[in-house]
Amino acid sequence: MDNFDLNLLRVLDAIQRHAHLGRAAEELGISQPSVSYALKQLREHLGDPLFVKVHHGMEPTPRTRELIPVVQSILGEVRERILTTPGFDAKTARRTFTLAMSDVGEMVFLPTVLNEIAKEAPHIDVRTVSSDPKDLMAALQRSEVDLAVGYFPDLQGGDIFQQRLFRHGFVCLVRSGHPVLKSGLTRKNFQSLPHAVVHAEGRSQEIVEQFLRAKGIERREMLRSPHFLSIPMVIATTDLVVTVPAAVAEVFAQFADIKAVEPPYPMPSFDLKQHWHRSQHHDPGNQWLRSLVLALFGDGENGHAERDATA
């Protein structure tokens, strides 16, 4: 193999099909002497004349007839699997996409994504994972995760592409009938009312906590929980207040009798994005998935995908 030029297989195939050195050379785009020299090399490598001259052209030897199906199979595999850009037909594709999302991200994104996939790609399955930022970077590099959707400030580096979907802010939630719905949530009662504080894997909650600490704003943290799942029922049945991303509040309001109120402070906002690794950038399936997510959640101001600016 070290001394064998695989291009010689193309020459062998062309001579066999045309039974003529000149016509084989014309197809290959090389001179007839080059074809003759290639045939000489093949004969030396394989220890067989391969073709003999007859009155109507070049007659393959038994050894050549034995080799031709193998050669054509190899050339076909190269054309179809290596040189042909793979396509992705959503209607017929069978594949499992792995999405990295926090539990908050699943609430916001997953139902809409699954409904659209069910319509557009009926044989596509979805798996979600939640990983430590360092583990997530490695999983993207190994193509174990196709797309990370949400707030992932730790996903940085020249191998990571990102695309903005929409800008996100925070609101406060209280039960229906809560007294603050009449008077409004003031800075005074924001600090005096009991709060539920979620310390979950969703890094967006850190934005609120950092803002309050920077402003020196204190509140009574009556409940500290690592879970978002219990929050709607807690808020609906108590006088507690919770501060959550606006899209999460919309989801919670579908399942509990709670209301959103504006915070009394100018809370920060942040961008939700989709992230993927350079190794997946040209994959047709990944491109389709990114287009679907962008169409569903993009606010029209996202622009083009770009590599991380910190690289």
Side-chain angles (χ1 to χ4, degrees), residues 101 108-109 113 147-152 162-168 270-276 289-304:
M101 296 177 176
V108 174
F109 296 108
V113 169
L147 203 61
V149 184
Y151 181 68
F152 294 98
Q162 60 183 22
Q163 188 172 43
R164 178 184 176 277
L165 298 174
F166 60 92
R167 193 150 187 84
H168 208 32
F270 59 99
D271 287 331
L272 289 177
K273 302 176 180 180
Q274 56 179 343
H275 308 75
W276 62 97
L289 180 62
R290 294 181 334 239
S291 297
L292 181 141
V293 171
L294 180 62
L296 292 175
F297 301 104
D299 62 6
E301 301 177 4
N302 41 279
H304 297 292

Side-chain angles (χ1 to χ4, degrees), residues 154-311:
D154 299 299
L155 284 181
Q156 300 177 358
D159 287 337
I160 296 297
F161 284 82
Q162 60 183 22
Q163 188 172 43
R164 178 184 176 277
L165 298 174
F166 60 92
R167 193 150 187 84
H168 208 32
F170 293 89
V171 298
C172 294
L173 292 175
V174 297
R175 66 174 174 84
S176 294
H178 197 292
V180 300
L181 292 175
K182 294 181 180 180
S183 60
L185 193 57
T186 66
R187 297 188 177 192
K188 182 178 180 180
N189 58 28
F190 181 88
Q191 296 185 53
S192 63
L193 285 168
H195 284 254
V197 179
V198 181
H199 289 273
E201 61 189 22
R203 302 295 301 278
S204 59
Q205 290 304 115
E206 295 178 4
I207 297 175
V208 171
E209 302 307 313
Q210 291 170 359
F211 170 79
L212 295 177
R213 284 195 299 269
K215 298 294 183 181
I217 300 168
E218 297 182 358
R219 62 195 164 158
R220 182 191 172 195
E221 298 182 4
M222 183 175 179
L223 171 67
R224 292 172 62 89
S225 173
H227 306 296
F228 269 98
L229 186 61
S230 61
I231 293 300
M233 296 303 104
V234 168
I235 298 302
T237 56
T238 68
D239 282 337
L240 271 68
V241 182
V242 69
T243 304
V244 296
V248 175
E250 293 178 10
V251 175
F252 283 171
Q254 299 175 31
F255 302 101
D257 193 13
I258 53 181
K259 300 292 183 182
V261 291
E262 286 297 318
Y265 302 95
M267 293 286 186
S269 58
F270 59 99
D271 287 331
L272 289 177
K273 302 176 180 180
Q274 56 179 343
H275 308 75
W276 62 97
H277 193 264
R278 177 171 55 87
S279 61
Q280 296 273 34
H281 188 60
H282 297 290
D283 175 67
N286 195 282
Q287 290 176 338
W288 174 84
L289 180 62
R290 294 181 334 239
S291 297
L292 181 141
V293 171
L294 180 62
L296 292 175
F297 301 104
D299 62 6
E301 301 177 4
N302 41 279
H304 297 292
E306 57 185 29
R307 293 196 187 187
D308 179 73
T310 64

Side-chain angles (χ1 to χ4, degrees), residues 7-204:
N7 281 305
L8 295 176
L9 299 182
R10 295 180 61 226
V11 174
L12 181 66
D13 174 60
I15 297 173
Q16 187 273 331
R17 285 186 289 104
H18 292 286
H20 192 278
L21 295 185
R23 288 193 290 270
E26 188 176 335
E27 177 188 301
L28 295 169
I30 58 179
S31 66
Q32 183 169 328
S34 295
V35 172
S36 297
Y37 179 71
L39 179 57
K40 178 177 179 291
Q41 288 181 296
L42 280 165
R43 286 167 169 165
E44 291 174 355
H45 278 297
L46 301 178
D48 188 271
L50 300 177
F51 297 95
V52 294
K53 288 185 178 180
V54 294
H55 69 280
H56 57 270
M58 305 289 290
E59 181 73 21
T61 66
R63 173 67 168 150
T64 301
R65 291 192 178 94
E66 178 184 300
L67 289 175
I68 284 301
V70 179
V71 169
Q72 291 178 339
S73 176
I74 292 171
L75 295 177
E77 290 287 305
V78 170
R79 281 192 297 268
E80 295 172 16
R81 295 182 178 270
I82 297 177
L83 299 180
T84 302
T85 301
F88 182 84
D89 184 351
K91 293 295 184 184
T92 59
R94 296 181 182 273
R95 179 169 172 176
T96 297
F97 286 115
T98 300
L99 306 179
M101 296 177 176
S102 65
D103 58 348
V104 177
E106 289 193 7
M107 294 180 201
V108 174
F109 296 108
L110 202 51
T112 304
V113 169
L114 290 177
N115 282 329
E116 192 66 17
I117 286 178
K119 290 189 296 184
E120 299 296 328
H123 306 295
I124 293 294
D125 296 323
V126 174
R127 172 175 173 260
T128 64
V129 296
S130 181
S131 305
D132 177 88
K134 292 182 180 178
D135 294 336
L136 178 55
M137 175 67 82
L140 285 165
Q141 290 173 340
R142 294 191 297 265
S143 297
E144 294 172 358
V145 170
D146 296 287
L147 203 61
V149 184
Y151 181 68
F152 294 98
D154 299 299
L155 284 181
Q156 300 177 358
D159 287 337
I160 296 297
F161 284 82
Q162 60 183 22
Q163 188 172 43
R164 178 184 176 277
L165 298 174
F166 60 92
R167 193 150 187 84
H168 208 32
F170 293 89
V171 298
C172 294
L173 292 175
V174 297
R175 66 174 174 84
S176 294
H178 197 292
V180 300
L181 292 175
K182 294 181 180 180
S183 60
L185 193 57
T186 66
R187 297 188 177 192
K188 182 178 180 180
N189 58 28
F190 181 88
Q191 296 185 53
S192 63
L193 285 168
H195 284 254
V197 179
V198 181
H199 289 273
E201 61 189 22
R203 302 295 301 278
S204 59

